[in-house]
Amino acid sequence: MLRTGLAILSGICLLVGSAQGQDLTEAQILERFEAQREMYRASTQGQKTRGLDMITVTQGGEQAETTAATGTVVFGEFAPELQVNIAIRFAFDSASIAPDQRPALEKMCSAMRQSDVGLFRIVGHTDAKGSDSYNETLSKLRAEEVRRWLVQDCGIAASRLEALGMGKRFLANPADPAAAENRRVEFQALS
């Protein structure tokens, strides 16, 4: 369901840190990128799509139905079966990528190199501990750290990547708001 008409983000949700991590091949990741892009294109043309909700979110953490206010972003929330989950863990209160987490990023790096997606949005998420403001900052730092790694260590052009922090708005495990799988990074294919 399309909730706004603002320049809508497309997306493939790559939940980095999810407990539902999948062991997908690069070919499967690329197939899902293409499927997500097609779903996005359909939604921007006013067609109804199953499995994709476009949600306008204000900077302060509240959801909004319109984008008239400043500091809003349109976030593409995909059904779990349309997401590509790659497990990368962040420690509590940290944006550092541990060396043992790099194989998952390397797989994503390889898939991104093969993809013709022009712009990826990297979306950081936190668990529900801490204030909204603190979690907004931490989630942005996580997204920026993944972006930095993809640019410096992987060689993805910086112009293909942007970082966004969503704080604790979209918990991967709402039944356990403090769960580690809520501390993650998500990728969305924008174009």
Side-chain angles (χ1 to χ4, degrees), residues 2 21 27 30 32 60 64 74 80 82 85 92-93 103 120 125 127 166:
L2 185 61
L30 289 168
R32 291 185 184 198
V74 180
L82 299 173
N85 297 298
F92 178 73
D93 196 33
F120 290 96
H125 297 274
D127 61 30
M166 295 298 276

Side-chain angles (χ1 to χ4, degrees), residues 1-4 6-15 40 43 51-58 63-64 67 72-79 83 121-125 164-167 169-171 184-188 190:
M1 169 186 358
L2 185 61
R3 295 187 188 175
T4 182
L6 183 68
I8 298 171
L9 309 176
S10 74
I12 176 89
C13 292
L14 298 171
L15 298 183
Y40 164 69
S43 72
L52 170 62
D53 285 332
M54 302 309 288
I55 302 167
T56 302
V57 181
T58 63
Q63 293 185 8
T67 57
T72 61
V73 65
V74 180
F75 177 74
E77 183 177 28
F78 289 89
Q83 299 174 357
R121 173 172 278 174
I122 304 166
V123 184
H125 297 274
L164 174 70
M166 295 298 276
R169 287 186 199 103
F170 298 97
L171 298 173
R184 67 196 194 279
V185 172
E186 172 181 344
F187 294 77
Q188 295 184 331
L190 301 183

Side-chain angles (χ1 to χ4, degrees), residues 8-135:
I8 298 171
L9 309 176
S10 74
I12 176 89
C13 292
L14 298 171
L15 298 183
V16 182
S18 172
Q20 303 94 0
Q22 301 167 331
D23 190 19
L24 298 174
T25 66
E26 289 174 25
Q28 290 169 319
I29 292 169
L30 289 168
E31 287 173 11
R32 291 185 184 198
F33 276 153
E34 188 57 36
Q36 291 290 335
R37 182 169 32 202
E38 290 306 314
M39 182 176 286
Y40 164 69
R41 286 179 182 157
S43 72
T44 60
Q45 295 171 359
Q47 299 173 16
K48 292 186 179 187
T49 57
R50 287 181 62 171
L52 170 62
D53 285 332
M54 302 309 288
I55 302 167
T56 302
V57 181
T58 63
Q59 204 169 30
E62 298 297 319
Q63 293 185 8
E65 290 298 319
T66 67
T67 57
T70 61
T72 61
V73 65
V74 180
F75 177 74
E77 183 177 28
F78 289 89
E81 66 272 10
L82 299 173
Q83 299 174 357
V84 177
N85 297 298
I86 299 173
I88 294 183
R89 294 180 312 278
F90 286 102
F92 178 73
D93 196 33
S94 174
S96 296
I97 299 171
D100 69 339
Q101 301 301 296
R102 297 197 182 186
L105 279 175
E106 289 167 359
K107 182 188 277 189
M108 185 50 53
C109 169
S110 181
M112 290 173 83
R113 284 182 180 161
Q114 295 175 56
S115 173
D116 62 353
V117 170
L119 181 63
F120 290 96
R121 173 172 278 174
I122 304 166
V123 184
H125 297 274
T126 64
D127 61 30
K129 293 181 182 178
S131 70
D132 288 345
S133 174
Y134 177 81
N135 283 323

